[in-house]
Amino acid sequence: MQHIYSNPTFQLACDQFKLIADYLNISPDLRDRLMFPKRSITVAVPVRLDNGTVRVFEGYRVQHHLSMGPTKGGTRFSPSVTLGEVAALAMWMSWKCALAGLPYGGAKGGVQCDPRRLSPGELERLSRRYLAEMIPFIGPHTDIMGPDMGTNEQIMAWFMDTYSARQGYTVPEIVTGKPLSVGGTYGRRESTGRGVVYLIERAAHLINLKLVGGTAVVQGFGNVGSIVARGLTHKNGMKVIAISDVSGAYRNEDGIDVRAAEQYTKEHGSLEGLPGAESFPPDELLTIPCDVLVPAAISGVIHGKNAAKVQCRILAEAANGPTTVEADKIFFERWQDVFVIPDILCNAGGVIVSYFEWVQSLQSFFWRETEVVDRLFRVLEQSFGAVIKRSKEQKIPHRIAALAIGVEKVMRARTQRGLFP
Ligand code: GLU
């Protein structure tokens, strides 16, 4: 079926949903209501560039469902972002929030741009104008933005400032992932990576895998990948033997110095030329033998052609949608070799701490970092336990269990509220 969302990532999210709908026996009239986004907004974002010309960027926001509270989700600045990709990410946010028990529907937004090619001034003008175009559609009780790929604390501060300037007073609860100085929370920046590491530890415990001295491979070295790499090495004594970013892939069998790599990317903008590591073809990264494999970049990277060659004990999906449905079928047959921590569970730490930040902003009552981390782990523990229990009891893959729990909660809210009018 052709529609405005047609795109491989949206197709992946729909294919996953259809499997769940069959498994849960969802009636045909409810399927489309649950799958298609409630609202999609596309805006033109005109920005004056430093050379004096004006360029119009395309901006999107998709609000997937409104049945359980406001919508919540990040904003992605990337050259490849499309309405269909944003719609898929919004749908995943819905199941992710429901699985974690957060009172939100899913949303996601994006601007088609390459933030690394914009000057700081251009980036600020783009961020402010995108947010200004979105003002009629968002609000602290309607839709709350947060960070995603290509956006950061500074951009969240500009979003918050632009919204507040229109209201005439400060509205910190309109975005999460803000700097601490303007009402952000302790631990948001580290939250996604920290959650991934926590769940890897839990999975390792379940399958009796000793992490100390083990090996890990991390795809993507942004806010999530670098923090996971740090947690696996410094906290768990693992060796990160290969990492990658947009510039390429880099390996060292004796272990990459993660802190030095973080410092290097800060100074050079990417991992290109990283000392103490050898560059190799990025498409070999995911099939390197290792104990823990962490895709922390983009969607669709593990597919029907490479899934059988993946050689890890734990696949920790820090990215959204890294594994296709074809690859999932292969992993289901290999369930005794590979323990999959599905994305909507694995990377939920980010939105969980975003929820904590929204609560703190609404109440103007702030928590200490230990309280944030403690509560984060408690929510993750509960979700992890529920997924493992359902998977064991019904002999279904972890992803089906995780999605089923999320979809069921949304469906219950939908049907209990009834159809309007
Ligand atoms: N971008 C994050 C995700 O994909 C969450 C954004 C937020 O905190 O709202 O889960």
Side-chain angles (χ1 to χ4, degrees):
M1 185 177 40
Q2 273 297 318
H3 43 69
I4 53 169
Y5 306 111
S6 288
N7 158 281
T9 313
F10 189 68
Q11 194 55 49
L12 170 58
C14 292
D15 290 347
Q16 284 180 350
F17 175 77
K18 284 174 192 151
L19 286 177
I20 303 305
D22 288 343
Y23 164 69
L24 293 176
N25 223 346
I26 300 178
S27 66
D29 60 334
L30 244 182
R31 287 185 186 220
D32 282 358
R33 281 179 67 205
L34 282 166
M35 193 168 77
F36 282 98
K38 185 72 191 169
R39 293 184 187 141
S40 305
I41 301 120
T42 302
V43 291
V45 185
V47 177
R48 191 171 299 283
L49 303 180
D50 291 347
N51 65 13
T53 61
V54 173
R55 187 166 154 204
V56 179
F57 295 86
E58 220 168 88
Y60 317 101
R61 184 82 183 160
V62 172
Q63 299 166 351
H64 179 246
H65 81 83
L66 315 176
S67 302
M68 294 165 84
T71 46
K72 180 82 192 86
T75 304
R76 177 169 285 202
F77 283 2
S78 144
S80 60
V81 80
T82 60
L83 182 67
E85 182 184 75
V86 169
L89 293 160
M91 198 195 313
W92 283 322
M93 284 304 296
S94 287
W95 317 142
K96 192 187 305 189
C97 291
L99 173 63
L102 311 181
Y104 293 139
K108 200 69 129 203
V111 180
Q112 212 175 73
C113 68
D114 187 347
R116 289 169 313 139
R117 285 170 178 261
L118 297 171
S119 71
E122 289 168 339
L123 189 62
E124 175 171 358
R125 292 193 288 280
L126 175 104
S127 305
R128 288 185 180 280
R129 187 61 192 255
Y130 168 72
L131 195 285
E133 297 296 341
M134 286 295 161
I135 286 179
F137 312 105
I138 60 169
H141 295 284
T142 316
D143 182 15
I144 305 122
M145 292 193 184
D148 196 79
M149 208 188 281
T151 57
N152 56 24
E153 288 178 11
Q154 177 58 72
I155 293 172
M156 296 306 115
W158 289 328
F159 280 0
M160 188 275 245
D161 183 68
T162 305
Y163 187 86
S164 300
R166 283 289 178 90
Q167 309 304 312
Y169 55 91
T170 299
V171 189
E173 60 272 27
I174 186 63
V175 296
T176 61
K178 308 176 287 289
L180 271 177
S181 61
V182 294
T185 181
Y186 284 108
R188 172 62 185 87
R189 197 187 311 154
E190 301 80 6
S191 56
T192 312
R194 219 175 230 162
V196 173
V197 173
Y198 178 82
L199 293 166
I200 292 171
E201 291 165 6
R202 295 293 290 112
H205 181 73
L206 272 190
I207 61 169
N208 283 322
L209 173 74
K210 212 169 100 221
L211 293 179
V212 180
T215 53
V217 169
V218 182
Q219 181 189 47
F221 207 67
N223 180 42
V224 180
S226 62
I227 288 179
V228 175
R230 207 197 296 165
L232 293 180
T233 48
H234 291 78
K235 186 161 169 252
N236 286 287
M238 297 191 83
K239 272 193 301 190
V240 172
I241 56 173
I243 55 177
S244 71
D245 68 0
V246 280
S247 74
Y250 309 88
R251 68 195 294 174
N252 179 344
E253 286 303 320
D254 299 325
I256 287 166
D257 181 339
V258 173
R259 280 208 198 270
E262 284 182 274
Q263 191 54 35
Y264 188 86
T265 47
K266 245 185 230 148
E267 284 162 17
H268 298 82
S270 79
L271 291 168
E272 190 163 9
L274 179 72
E278 183 197 332
S279 152
F280 69 101
D283 53 3
E284 289 171 19
L285 183 92
L286 298 169
T287 52
I288 294 177
C290 60
D291 294 307
V292 177
L293 177 62
V294 187
I298 51 171
S299 63
V301 292
I302 304 180
H303 39 70
K305 292 208 173 75
N306 63 4
K309 297 187 208 139
V310 166
Q311 299 176 67
C312 63
R313 296 295 317 284
I314 295 175
L315 173 63
E317 296 183 344
N320 289 308
T323 307
T324 67
V325 170
E326 290 73 45
D328 262 338
K329 285 187 195 137
I330 297 169
F331 285 128
F332 189 43
E333 283 164 20
R334 300 183 57 200
W335 68 273
Q336 278 176 317
D337 314 334
V338 183
F339 186 105
V340 177
I341 311 176
D343 54 357
I344 64 162
L345 168 66
C346 192
N347 67 34
V351 73
I352 293 169
V353 176
S354 272
Y355 165 64
F356 297 161
E357 180 175 335
W358 178 67
V359 167
Q360 292 172 73
S361 290
L362 282 171
Q363 300 185 338
S364 300
F365 181 70
F366 295 94
W367 311 349
R368 285 166 306 156
E369 180 154 13
T370 47
E371 201 170 340
V372 171
V373 177
D374 215 54
R375 284 181 190 261
L376 165 65
F377 290 168
R378 264 188 276 160
V379 176
L380 285 176
E381 184 60 41
Q382 201 170 12
S383 310
F384 181 77
V387 169
I388 299 302
K389 183 166 179 275
R390 182 140 181 173
S391 159
K392 272 203 181 127
E393 280 176 3
Q394 309 205 336
K395 299 193 173 36
I396 50 173
H398 295 157
R399 186 182 322 285
I400 302 283
L403 285 167
I405 297 170
V407 171
E408 251 171 12
K409 287 193 189 173
V410 177
M411 189 167 59
R412 204 170 305 132
R414 261 286 154 90
T415 42
Q416 290 190 322
R417 284 182 68 158
L419 183 62
F420 171 84

